[in-house]
Amino acid sequence: MKSIGPADEKYSFAPQAQTRHRADVIDWLLLILPGCIWGASFLFIAEGLDAVGPNGVTFVRIAVGFLTLSLVPAARRPIRRSDRSGAAALGIVWLAFPLSMFPFAEQHVSSALTGMLNGATPLFAAAVAAGLARRMPSPAVLAGIAVGFTGAILIALPGMATAENAAGQTRGVLLILVALVSYGFAINLARPLQQRNGALPVIWRALGIALIATAPLGVPAVLDAHWSARPVAALLTLGAFGTAIAYVMAATAAGRMGATTASATTFLMPVVALALGIGVRHEQVAPLSVLGAAVCLAGAWMIRQARASAEREAASHPEPAFASPQPPS
């Protein structure tokens, strides 16, 4: 029998190392790309508004997203009959309603500001979760919420305090905050639905409901639009990537790395939105708003770390099989 020498050992491990390296690269791409795509979506909204009204922007992105996701076989898998009404509700509170708010908001505020404020989404999700459970969050989560909301105030303050167009800026910020509240409820509704049925089948059905809900106002807006190449390209990219492909990537990342790790992609959104707003559309952003975005992201990171710690603690001390869940206090 031939013995394995040092040279043979070296090359026997090479394919495994290459496989691990390739898997690491894929994991990093799955973490980075969705955040970049979603961060760029606020630029695409602003570009689309140059040709069509806000209702048209929302309808086109949802229509393109639904058609794109329809090409993914996993998205068309059936879901539980009892969960169909929940998926339909998601179509309103996760898609049709909040996605309609952002184009109206960007008529008054910059795409960079809109994207930076979206960094507060985890804060609203945590606050809504605590409210639905009728239980105070842990001190670490509560601190993260307080820090994050302080950052959100700092983001919005410069535009709302400026005498010029202060009313419009305030209206735009309020529309964004209303959308984020809707996201907060949607995320808490989506989590159990996706755990039982998978993320993509739930999102695909929610997009179908959102398409129907936005059609009455969206179709007339599309017919009255003044189209040119740049807005068309922006909305097609927004729909295909921001409303479909990014969700596929995020769902894949959650399956490979866990939901907590995959959620780190959302921290890229405000950074990308800020960079593109300044670099592409030459938007003016106050330094205080940039500082607020950093503070807001710090709060979201604190919440994420607290949840990760709670998950590790629960995994290391599993409850007995006969233990019943504690009712909300």
Side-chain angles (χ1 to χ4, degrees), residues 62-79 84 86-88 90-92 94-95 190 193-194 197-212 243-245 247-248 251:
I62 290 174
V64 174
F66 176 75
L67 293 174
T68 303
L69 203 56
S70 298
L71 301 176
V72 181
R76 303 194 302 271
R77 289 200 305 259
I79 66 173
R84 292 176 184 174
L90 274 185
I92 305 301
W94 201 8
L95 296 166
L193 292 176
Q194 292 178 342
N197 303 283
L200 298 185
V202 172
I203 294 170
W204 182 66
R205 284 163 175 80
L207 279 170
I209 295 298
L211 181 63
I212 296 171
T243 323
I245 294 175
Y247 283 104
V248 176

Side-chain angles (χ1 to χ4, degrees), residues 30 54 130 179 222 248 282 289:
L30 289 173
V222 170
V248 176
H282 309 293
S289 294

Side-chain angles (χ1 to χ4, degrees), residues 227-254:
W227 296 105
S228 60
R230 185 161 172 156
V232 168
L235 290 181
L236 289 177
T237 305
L238 175 65
F241 286 87
T243 323
I245 294 175
Y247 283 104
V248 176
M249 293 174 132
T252 304

